[in-house]
Each structure stands twice: as structure tokens, then as C-alpha cells.
Amino acid sequence: AGSTDLALRLSIVGASIDERPVLLPGGGRPREFGLSVPNNAPYKFSYFDEFGRKVARMESNYVITSRYTWWNFIFYNLWDQFHEVANIYFLFVGFLQIWPEISTTGGVPDTYIPLSFILTVSAVRAAFDDYAKHKDDNARAAIPFLVLDPDYANKNPGKTKMPRRAGGNEPKAPTGYFYKSSGQLMPGDIILINQNQVFPADILCIATAHSKGHCFVETASLDGETNLKIKESVACVHDMLPIRALKDDEKDEKKRRSDIYAAVSEASAPLKKISGTIAFGAPDKDLDKLQGSINVGWEGKSAAKASKLRGNNLLLRGTKLKNTAFIIGLVLYTGPDTKIRKNNEKKGQLQLKKSAIIRKVNTLLLWMLCLQIGLCVLGGIYSGIWERDNNGAFYLNLSSSAAVGAILRFFTWFIILAQLVPISLVVTSELTKKNQQILMEGDVKLWDDKKGPLKVNYGQVSEDLGQVEYIFSDKTGTLTQNKMEFRLAFIGYIF
């Protein structure tokens, strides 16, 4: 494998580096880029996919959770809707009704009238839901974060102040930092995250406000656990930075934020001269894994030995920084490459969610279809036998062959027995889901004092709420009451 590796030449802050990309366990080629301020990674990097093909560009951090666009909505939505068993079934029944030889409606596909109503209601609901997702995507992409780039910050002093649309009441950015929207973040950016902020990308932690280099992260958005998890910074970088101790008892929030930004400015000063390389694996779904290495130097001099990266160094998109004044991190995976997005994908596409009831209804429809086909086979056979026995009755306009007549009558019976699958079930289901969404969003008792009204992101799975199938408990106190009463205590010889 070593003979086939391509030599990489990275020019980082005046230093020329000629290295071969290291193959990680499993045979996957890593991603590699240079460390520098300002960030040159988007222009000097080496990315390979799982097939060994070179990737031409980095992914931006703009995440698209919506499914449609204005130009593909009609076709894409119809494609999605005709993945439903009921819609395919009624489309086929309507096609049979057009065939004069077997039609029971005079060639008029009257099944298409309620089917069109179903498709229209579903399309309107999907359009409103998707439009809301477009707005949310734009709002998340516009959230400003502090990125280290002294030259850019000095040339654009207006970027060092919090935009008005994002609050505008923050103190001036730390020295060398400027505000950059989340959607414009790129791998290689050195970013500052303050306490209670949500990480906008998968970030390698290189320094924290704690002298030992640890921080606390809330992962409730990923796994539902409210217990804080400890993450660690990369020691080879954290140990080189001057981390000033902060007062925990400061009551004045504005004064505390100013102290934090002063500490950040002091800690970030050496980062302006950072150089080196970082190599890591291609994006995957494993939330706890990070394989790679980082070689960090200062003023163009690389370290003699690369440091190994671990999953505990990676701060995942969507998690929140807690009980830590700040962390300084290096953006690794952005947008579609982040681990949370990889877990939402299926064969490169976002998964289309279906509720448990819809899946069960689809299964029942398939069983009903099997029953209907069985009855149609019996009807067709008996019709063929009857036509064979009455072949001399010319006035009945029978088929020339009993076999042909049996086949035609099979489809006629299919149209007659189509009522076994009630199309009203699908209509009622769509209207009920929309009504449930309106009721949930309008229920004042479901409002949150801080976040405001309840918002239904995807109305197709609302019936799954409260449907608990399994309960996993790691300790008895989760489901029972831990009640302890003081009985006695021994202190030396006294009790």
C-alpha cells in the first residue's frame, strides 16, 4: 500500500512539508491539511474518499435538513408519495378502470379523484414543513462564531462586533478574533466556543479554560443523556498555551465575559504562529471514534513526534459546552461530513421517516392485496369455466377464448374488490396528522418558558409520541424512589 500512496506537498507558513498520507486501520486513507493562521486548509489539503479517489473540495458547514427545492418539489414529492403502498395500489386500480374491456366505470378512472385529493393534501403539508426547514437551516447557518484570524480582524474591524441580528450586546471580540457565520466555517478554522454554546461542527479541542485541559459537554441532543461527559484537549497544543485562571464567583456577567475574552486573547497569542499538519480519518457514523495524528510546531518548525488523536478529543456538532468558560478548537468535519449528519443518512440520502402506524398499515395492505389477488384468481377461474360452458350464447358477446375471458375477468374482479382497501383510510390519516400538528403547536400547556411554543418539525411521525416499547434502566433508582433514612453512625467509639 505504501508504494501506491501519493506524495503530498503542503506549504505551511513558509515551511515545505513532503509526506505520504498514513493509512489508518481498515485501509481507509486519511484526510490531511496544514495548520496555519490564517487558515489555508481550504486551498492546501489532501482528501481521499473510501475508494481512494481524491476529493476536489472541502464541504462547507451549511447543513440542509430540507428535502425539496422549488424546482424539484413536484417530481420529488410525487416520487416520495408513490413509495406508499396505498398510493401505488390506487394508481394501479385507476389504470385498470381506463381499460374498457374490464372497466366497471365505463372507462372513467373515478379512483383518481380521491387519490388526487390525497396527493394534494400531502403535498401542501410537505411544502409547509419543508419551507419551515429551509428557514431553520438559514437561521442556523447565520449564527455567528468567533474565529481566529488577526489579519482579517484588523482589516475588518466591523467583524469584531457581534451582529445586531444575533443580539449585538456582546463585548468586543478577543484580540485576533472576528465573527464568522456558522454556514461559512471550514475545516482548519480555529474557533472559540463559550459556555452554553452549541458546537456548530465536529471540532478538535486544542485548549480549554481549565488548566488540566478538560471540559464538560452535554450530549442530550445525540443520546438523550443529561449527564455531562468529560472531553479532553490535545495535550501537545494545550500545554503550549498560557491559560489564565478565571474567577468562578464573579457575579457581573459583563465583567466575567470581559475577563474570559482577555484570557482567550492571551491564550490565543501563540496560535498566531502555529504550523504543522493534521491527518485524520474519513467521516463515519461512529460517535466515539477519531483516528489520526497531529504534528504541531511554531513559527514554521514542526514537532519531532506527532501526537495521536482520540475520540475524547472530538466535540460533536449539536452538543453543548457546559461548566467550562470557553474552549478553543480546530474545525475538522463540517456540514454533511459531521457524525450526526452521517447517522441521519441512508445510502447518501436523508432518511424519510415513517411512523410505526404507517409501517403497520403498509404491512396490512400487502396482506389485503394477497387476499384480494386470491379472490380474483378464483373469480377469474370460475368466469373462464362459465364462458367455456356458455360459449354458444353469441348474444352475450363473450371472449373468443375461455382463457382470455378468465384473464379479463381477473382484472374486473380486481376493480370490484378494490373496496377491500378503503381509500378513505389514507384521506383520514393525512387530515388527522395535520390536525394533530395544529393542536400540538397551539397548546399553551406545551409551551416552554425559554424556548416558546412547541414546534412540530415533522408531522408524519406525530402518532409515535408516547409509544414506549422498551425501557432500559441502568440502576434501580431510575424507576424507583431512592429513600434513605438515617439510623445510626459510628464515629470512633461513639455512636
Side-chain angles (χ1 to χ4, degrees):
S3 62
T4 59
D5 288 343
L6 299 178
L8 302 177
R9 295 184 179 274
L10 298 175
S11 177
I12 306 165
V13 197
S16 178
I17 299 177
D18 188 2
E19 294 183 344
R20 295 177 182 269
V22 182
L23 290 178
L24 297 179
R29 292 176 181 268
R31 298 185 164 197
E32 185 170 350
F33 59 77
L35 305 176
S36 63
V37 176
N39 178 23
N40 289 324
Y43 313 104
K44 299 178 181 179
F45 66 96
S46 177
Y47 275 13
F48 291 87
D49 61 16
E50 61 271 23
F51 304 107
R53 297 174 301 195
K54 193 166 185 177
V55 179
R57 65 180 180 85
M58 290 180 170
E59 292 283 359
S60 72
N61 199 44
Y62 189 91
V63 172
I64 300 176
T65 60
S66 56
R67 190 169 181 82
Y68 310 107
T69 60
W70 65 268
W71 55 269
N72 72 359
F73 174 77
I74 295 178
F75 305 102
Y76 203 2
N77 181 257
L78 288 175
W79 173 260
D80 288 340
Q81 293 201 56
F82 281 110
H83 276 69
E84 299 291 342
V85 176
N87 292 341
I88 297 175
Y89 174 83
F90 291 116
L91 180 68
F92 179 68
V93 171
F95 173 75
L96 294 180
Q97 289 178 332
I98 301 176
W99 195 355
E101 286 79 2
I102 63 174
S103 178
T104 60
T105 60
V108 178
D110 56 5
T111 303
Y112 285 169
I113 298 175
L115 179 61
S116 300
F117 177 77
I118 295 170
L119 297 178
T120 302
V121 171
S122 299
V124 171
R125 176 197 50 75
F128 277 103
D129 290 347
D130 210 63
Y131 177 70
K133 289 183 180 181
H134 275 287
K135 293 177 64 177
D136 288 343
D137 292 343
N138 293 333
R140 289 192 181 96
I143 297 175
F145 288 90
L146 288 166
V147 175
L148 180 64
D149 189 343
D151 294 339
Y152 185 86
N154 292 334
K155 295 177 181 178
N156 300 273
K159 292 283 188 177
T160 61
K161 298 179 181 179
M162 172 73 79
R164 292 184 178 180
R165 54 179 168 75
N169 55 356
E170 289 284 324
K172 188 178 178 181
T175 304
Y177 284 85
F178 72 99
Y179 284 100
K180 188 176 184 180
S181 62
S182 173
Q184 295 177 340
L185 293 176
M186 297 295 292
D189 283 341
I190 295 178
I191 186 173
L192 171 68
I193 302 294
N194 294 310
Q195 183 172 330
N196 294 324
Q197 272 191 312
V198 176
F199 298 109
D202 289 351
I203 298 171
L204 180 70
C205 183
I206 60 176
T208 76
H210 299 291
S211 58
K212 295 183 179 180
H214 65 279
C215 64
F216 299 93
V217 174
E218 182 183 271
T219 60
S221 61
L222 295 183
D223 52 24
E225 293 186 12
T226 55
N227 296 333
L228 301 183
K229 294 180 174 59
I230 299 178
K231 296 286 186 175
E232 299 175 354
S233 61
V234 180
C236 65
V237 182
H238 179 85
D239 294 343
M240 294 181 181
L241 304 181
I243 304 298
R244 181 199 303 180
L246 297 171
K247 296 181 180 180
D248 294 330
D249 56 350
E250 181 62 58
K251 302 299 181 181
D252 188 350
E253 182 61 29
K254 189 173 182 179
K255 175 70 165 56
R256 175 174 171 78
R257 183 54 58 88
S258 298
D259 291 343
I260 291 174
Y261 281 5
V264 171
S265 299
E266 184 177 339
S268 302
L271 291 175
K272 302 173 185 177
K273 301 177 182 179
I274 193 172
S275 64
T277 57
I278 179 170
F280 52 101
D284 55 44
K285 297 182 179 181
D286 194 337
L287 300 178
D288 300 320
K289 183 180 74 174
L290 175 63
Q291 294 177 321
S293 62
I294 183 171
N295 190 309
V296 180
W298 309 98
E299 298 182 346
K301 298 179 181 179
S302 297
K305 183 179 180 181
S307 299
K308 185 178 180 181
L309 302 180
R310 300 180 299 167
N312 211 30
N313 303 136
L314 190 64
L315 306 171
L316 302 179
R317 176 187 174 96
T319 58
K320 182 183 292 187
L321 183 65
K322 304 290 288 187
N323 296 351
T324 307
F326 68 87
I327 68 99
I328 301 174
L330 179 72
V331 178
L332 285 191
Y333 300 114
T334 54
D337 287 344
T338 55
K339 292 183 180 290
I340 187 173
R341 296 300 297 169
K342 286 296 179 183
N343 278 275
N344 288 335
E345 290 181 354
K346 184 178 182 182
K347 295 182 180 180
Q349 297 291 331
L350 290 177
Q351 298 184 38
L352 188 63
K353 296 179 181 179
K354 292 184 180 180
S355 65
I357 291 180
I358 291 298
R359 292 195 296 269
K360 189 171 185 178
V361 167
N362 287 341
T363 303
L364 292 175
L365 288 178
L366 290 175
W367 282 107
M368 294 298 294
L369 180 60
C370 293
L371 174 61
Q372 183 179 354
I373 291 175
L375 294 175
C376 292
V377 168
L378 292 176
I381 291 174
Y382 283 113
S383 296
I385 295 174
W386 186 88
E387 288 195 16
R388 184 195 63 186
D389 296 340
N390 296 274
N391 194 28
F394 64 90
Y395 51 86
L396 293 178
N397 195 23
L398 299 176
S399 303
S400 58
S401 170
V404 174
I407 295 175
L408 294 177
R409 297 293 79 78
F410 169 85
F411 290 109
T412 301
W413 280 108
F414 194 94
I415 297 173
I416 295 173
L417 296 176
Q419 303 305 319
L420 286 174
V421 180
I423 195 170
S424 59
L425 172 67
V426 185
V427 178
T428 305
S429 175
E430 286 295 330
L431 295 178
T432 301
K433 289 175 183 177
K434 188 59 183 177
N435 191 42
Q436 285 177 338
Q437 179 177 346
I438 294 173
L439 290 175
M440 286 190 289
E441 292 181 340
D443 192 343
V444 180
K445 294 182 179 179
L446 296 177
W447 287 24
D448 185 270
D449 294 335
K450 296 181 179 179
K451 298 181 180 179
L454 173 73
K455 184 177 181 182
V456 178
N457 292 323
Y458 194 70
Q460 285 292 83
V461 293
S462 59
E463 57 264 37
D464 280 352
L465 292 173
Q467 303 299 314
V468 180
E469 295 183 5
Y470 305 99
I471 297 178
F472 296 94
S473 174
D474 58 348
K475 53 185 179 296
T476 54
T478 304
L479 301 178
T480 60
Q481 182 181 9
N482 282 333
K483 186 176 181 181
M484 295 184 291
E485 296 181 1
F486 177 78
R487 301 296 294 273
L488 56 90
F490 287 91
I491 303 176
Y493 297 99
I494 303 174
F495 67 90

